[in-house]
């Protein structure tokens, strides 16, 4: 009987079943402690329908204010992406364990960890307190976000390269910059272009959000429309943000196509 049980292809895993049961019990407990009820969900659906009906039709009468906010959002995203990507290159390189010594990787990884520790809105609040309201706080926020994302991915991309070209360059006596140019960069360039274009797209979205806490961009106008219950103008802002994000995504695709051809 024991031999038959040992040959069963699908043996019962009681530890896994107990784990799934505990997870289900915890989910039920969490739903109850957070006061999530079916009645509240139904009431929320009704409120949501009322809110959406007040947003139609969108009001584009204040298009000058809308365009001003969108231009500022684009400027914040472009400047932050340029500086963020440029700073991520040396930091990501210093964080790669296969090329750099430990005394360089640990500080670089600490910088990346700090930049990735908080949501951009939290960084925006800190920079608004430091440099005041306006686009500068938004730019500094998105530079930190870019270093946290691009720096980490760039370091991981370098750590995955083949070391044979690196060893060949070292054996030929190539200086460090030549080693980077001829042995490292060709292996990671396409991935780095992908990371950079994705970060530009993410910065475009985040630059519409940090304005809610006063860090410039269309987010401030969006928050003001919420506060004034100006829902038709709010719909116009949301539609404009969607159009802006679609344009940035198209631009990112075109940039990647240029470097991949």
């Amino acid at each position: 009987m024991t031999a038959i049980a040992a040959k069963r292809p699908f043996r019962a895993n009681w530890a896994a079943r107990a784990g799934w049961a505990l997870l289900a019990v915890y989910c039920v407990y969490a739903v109850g402690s957070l006061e999530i009820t079916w009645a509240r969900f139904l009431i929320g659906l009704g409120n949501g329908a009322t809110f959406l009906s007040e947003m139609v039709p969108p009001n584009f009468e204040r298009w000058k204010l809308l365009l001003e906010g969108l231009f500022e959002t684009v400027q914040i995203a472009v400047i932050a992406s340029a500086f963020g990507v440029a700073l991520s290159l040396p930091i990501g390189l210093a964080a790669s364990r296969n090329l750099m010594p430990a005394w360089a990787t640990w500080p670089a990884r600490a910088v990346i960890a700090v930049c990735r520790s908080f949501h951009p809105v939290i960084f925006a609040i800190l920079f608004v307190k430091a440099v005041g309201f306006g686009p500068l706080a938004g730019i500094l926020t998105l530079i930190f976000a870019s270093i946290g994302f691009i720096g980490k991915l760039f370091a991981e991309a370098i750590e995955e390269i083949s070391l044979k070209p690196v060893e060949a360059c070292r054996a030929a006596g190539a200086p460090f910059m030549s080693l980077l140019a001829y042995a490292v960069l060709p292996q990671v360039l396409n991935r780095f272009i992908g990371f950079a274009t994705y970060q530009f797209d993410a910065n475009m979205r985040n630059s519409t959000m940090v304005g809610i806490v006063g860090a410039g961009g269309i987010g401030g106008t969006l928050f003001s429309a919420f506060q004034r219950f100006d829902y038709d103008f709010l719909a116009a802002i949301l539609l404009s943000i969607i159009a802006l994000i679609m344009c940035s995504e198209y631009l990112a695709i075109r940039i990647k196509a240029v470097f991949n051809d």
Side-chain angles (χ1 to χ4, degrees):
M1 186 65 182
T2 306
I4 294 174
K7 292 180 180 178
R8 288 178 179 173
F10 301 104
R11 298 178 61 183
N13 188 338
W14 293 104
R17 293 183 181 184
W20 284 111
L22 285 175
L23 178 62
V25 171
Y26 178 76
C27 287
V28 173
Y29 164 76
V31 168
S33 64
L34 295 175
E35 299 180 358
I36 300 174
T37 63
W38 183 249
R40 286 189 61 188
F41 177 71
L42 293 178
I43 293 172
L45 287 179
N47 292 337
T50 304
F51 175 64
L52 290 176
S53 66
E54 293 176 355
M55 294 175 68
V56 179
N59 182 1
F60 287 93
E61 291 180 355
R62 282 166 282 177
W63 59 272
K64 289 185 178 178
L65 177 63
L66 189 58
L67 286 180
E68 183 180 341
L70 290 175
F71 281 139
E72 189 172 274
T73 296
V74 173
Q75 289 172 330
I76 291 172
V78 171
I79 296 172
S81 298
F83 281 93
V85 171
L87 292 173
S88 299
L89 278 170
I91 295 175
L93 175 64
S96 56
R97 296 189 182 95
N98 57 341
L99 292 182
M100 305 301 290
W103 60 264
T105 58
W106 283 108
R109 288 185 172 271
V111 171
I112 292 173
V114 169
C115 293
R116 288 173 52 81
S117 298
F118 302 109
H119 192 274
V121 171
I122 297 177
F123 271 124
I125 294 171
L126 297 176
F127 282 118
V128 165
K129 289 291 184 182
V131 301
F133 294 101
L136 180 58
I139 291 171
L140 294 174
T141 296
L142 298 184
I143 287 176
F144 267 65
S146 300
I147 292 173
F149 181 77
I150 298 291
K152 177 179 173 59
L153 293 182
F154 191 49
E156 292 178 352
I158 293 177
E159 289 179 346
E160 294 173 359
I161 65 172
S162 170
L163 291 178
K164 291 180 180 178
V166 176
E167 293 170 355
C169 286
R170 283 175 176 166
F176 185 69
M177 293 305 295
S178 298
L179 184 147
L180 293 179
Y182 297 107
V184 177
L185 194 58
Q187 298 189 62
V188 298
L189 181 61
N190 284 339
R191 296 181 67 181
F192 182 70
I193 296 295
F195 298 152
T197 53
Y198 177 79
Q199 186 59 39
F200 173 71
D201 188 58
N203 282 344
M204 192 70 77
R205 291 194 300 271
N206 290 332
S207 63
T208 64
M209 182 175 56
V210 295
I212 294 175
V213 294
I218 194 67
T221 308
L222 181 73
F223 188 58
S224 299
F226 263 118
Q227 288 184 313
R228 296 193 307 267
F229 305 102
D230 198 357
Y231 296 138
D232 54 352
F233 184 50
L234 175 67
I237 296 172
L238 294 178
L239 290 175
S240 301
I241 291 175
I242 292 172
L244 181 66
I245 298 302
M246 292 178 69
C247 290
S248 72
E249 186 171 349
Y250 175 75
L251 181 62
I253 293 173
R254 298 297 299 173
I255 291 173
K256 283 193 286 188
V258 168
F259 284 93
N260 290 330
D261 286 343

